[in-house]
Amino acid sequence: MTKKAPVVVVLGDNSVPVARQIINVLPGARLYGLANRTEYVDVTFTNFGETLRDLFAGGTPIIGICAAGILIRTLAPMLSDKRQEPPVLAVAEDGSAVVPLLGGLNGVNDLARCIAEALGVKPAITTTGDVRFGIVLENPPTGYCLANPEQAKSFMSDLLAGATVRINGTAPWLSNSGLPIDPNGDLTIHITERAITPLPNCLVYHPATVAIAILGTAECEDEAVVVKQILADAELATASVAGVFGMITASAHPEIHALAKAFGVPVRLFTATDIEGLLSENYTPAQAAALKAAGASGQLIYSPSPHLALAISPQPIDPSTIGQPRGRLAIIGTGPGGSQWMSPEVKEILLSATDLVGYKTYLDLVGNLGNGKRRHESDNREEEARAMMALDLAAEGRSVAVVSSGDPGIYAMAAAIFEVLDRYDQPEWSSIDIQVAPGISAMQAAAAAIGAPLGHDFCAISLSDILKPWSIIEQRITAAAQGDFVIAFYNPVSKERIWQLAQARDILLRWRSPHTPVVLARNLGRPGQTVKVITLDQLVPEAADMRTVILVGSTQTKTIQRGDGGVWVYTPRRYTENLPIERNCQI
Ligand code: SAH
């Protein structure tokens, strides 16, 4: 299973100091806290059971600062396949006990050791094999894959009953363990890239020693089939494939990613300079890339296809140290305020990003999710420079998140990035994996806070005349008024731009009643949120600022008195009146 960053779950603020000590040693870990009982957490939840079961089902390691029994009872209905279980641990509120509960095959004991060390205590490891030999046979370190996990349990039972083991091949983590190693052992562990059928009393580990390089476009539909045939011809195990390697200039080609997906391994990319030495030795570009990945003692494996090459290394290949990953640029919207309005996709992107680019206020809104990342703060107006910097960072292989508040496609960075991409068209940017992740826009949050004012046709107009002339804005307000759209005004007023809102109101008053409901929503989702309902004739520039979004009703928009003295605002979905005619003309 892919390794996810752990979640530390607390039920009260008392547990937060210990939780923070744990989070400090676990990169990317997040703090979940029970609503109304915890204040300084990354994510709040109301239903403990559901939250825990969702995390567990999604394979997220869980560290509960609570009684072991609570975790056991909550997760009991979910326990069916121990191979799929993420690590689950209970930690005492004062940090005095660290108890691994589940996920033995996915590293719970190692996690327990790491947490216990941070807290200065001894972990309560109870797995006999781990205690006796310091090893979990089913959970080899990165770079090795157990070919026959179904035999690991009886293998370990035999060892615990006194059997000895012969090691065939090289794997320091096994030879340096506490296993009862004996050249004439009753049991055998093979470490080999060969595709062998394990005998009884034998465990086989495949080291990740094979590099696949693919260059240019595919000659056939499915490259994975070709590679599997090459491996079969060479009697090599598919589990020994360490990574798929290619040139950065061709990194957008889907074949390379499809191949990596088929083998469940990462893609790593080279620049022309990385392989120029090998090219001068008369290797083809594909061979040069494969040999570069396999290291100085690497050897080529026969491949019939010129754009494909495979090489084998004497030691496991660690792809994370070779070449660079494909750069990623995610243009994300965090929603208007706190993390409760941030999509799970955006949270995942923030966790995996290496670099955050954005206006300081927006980066601050990301809170703890931004910990441990390079921050590239900028002024809110330097959009083009910010977009270029983000693209350049991603082209270097970094995983960049460009952070906007609300939705990134609504008066925010997404369009700015595509504009720069289009205008400057740098070849190195073509390798970047670009993704836009949506967020809740201010107008949606404002609408939700007051009822359903956007229930029928609506439009959004920015009142900022920095990037477009006022004459166009005027024209659009008039057209929107004539069309009887509900209007969301973004950027209504700033320190330097005051008169525009009053003019917008005057245009609207030509078409709409002075009693038209207007919603002023300020600091949505942030401290000091206010949502007020006034009428169109009361709309003055002093009522708004840059942190306000304004919704102006159509001729159909209505208000309802609420029991608590406030009002709901809604726009019915059925149209009962004709389009408005200019009010001045009616006189
Ligand atoms: N991408 C953002 C909009 C950025 S333009 C979005 O989709 O919401 C900036 C304008 O958005 C502000 O001047 C204000 O009108 C509105 N806005 C953004 N965040 C807001 C918030 N939390 N509360 C009220 N208005 C907000």
Side-chain angles (χ1 to χ4, degrees), residues 23-149:
I23 283 174
N24 284 343
V25 293
L26 303 176
R30 277 169 298 166
L31 182 55
Y32 277 44
L34 185 61
N36 303 324
R37 298 281 180 83
T38 53
E39 217 173 324
Y40 304 103
V41 297
D42 304 323
V43 176
T44 42
F45 60 84
T46 45
N47 188 322
F48 177 78
E50 245 172 52
T51 308
L52 232 65
R53 286 188 286 270
D54 281 354
L55 289 167
F56 187 84
T60 303
I62 299 169
I63 300 152
I65 316 276
C66 58
I70 299 177
L71 295 171
I72 292 169
R73 265 191 294 278
T74 305
L75 296 174
M78 313 276 295
L79 306 183
S80 57
D81 180 359
K82 69 174 179 172
R83 285 186 207 297
Q84 295 302 321
E85 280 169 13
V88 177
L89 301 95
V91 175
E93 183 187 281
D94 60 0
S96 60
V98 179
V99 190
L101 296 172
L102 297 166
L105 304 188
N106 286 300
V108 74
N109 288 348
D110 291 340
L111 193 56
R113 284 190 194 96
C114 167
I115 294 171
E117 193 186 332
L119 299 174
V121 295
K122 200 167 180 292
I125 307 270
T126 53
T127 327
T128 317
D130 197 327
V131 172
R132 190 108 46 102
F133 308 128
I135 198 166
V136 180
L137 290 172
E138 288 108 319
N139 187 32
T142 312
Y144 296 86
C145 172
L146 177 58
N148 53 339

Side-chain angles (χ1 to χ4, degrees), residues 473-487:
I473 303 176
E474 250 179 343
Q475 208 178 37
R476 287 194 184 155
I477 298 169
T478 308
Q482 277 174 319
D484 204 23
F485 288 96
V486 174
I487 307 170

Side-chain angles (χ1 to χ4, degrees), residues 336 405-407 410-412 441-442 490-492 521-524 526 546-549:
S405 85
D407 183 87
I410 299 181
Y411 309 121
S441 190
Y490 283 74
N491 302 308
R522 185 166 189 274
N523 279 330
L524 289 158
R526 303 179 194 170
M546 276 306 272
R547 291 158 171 246
T548 310
V549 68

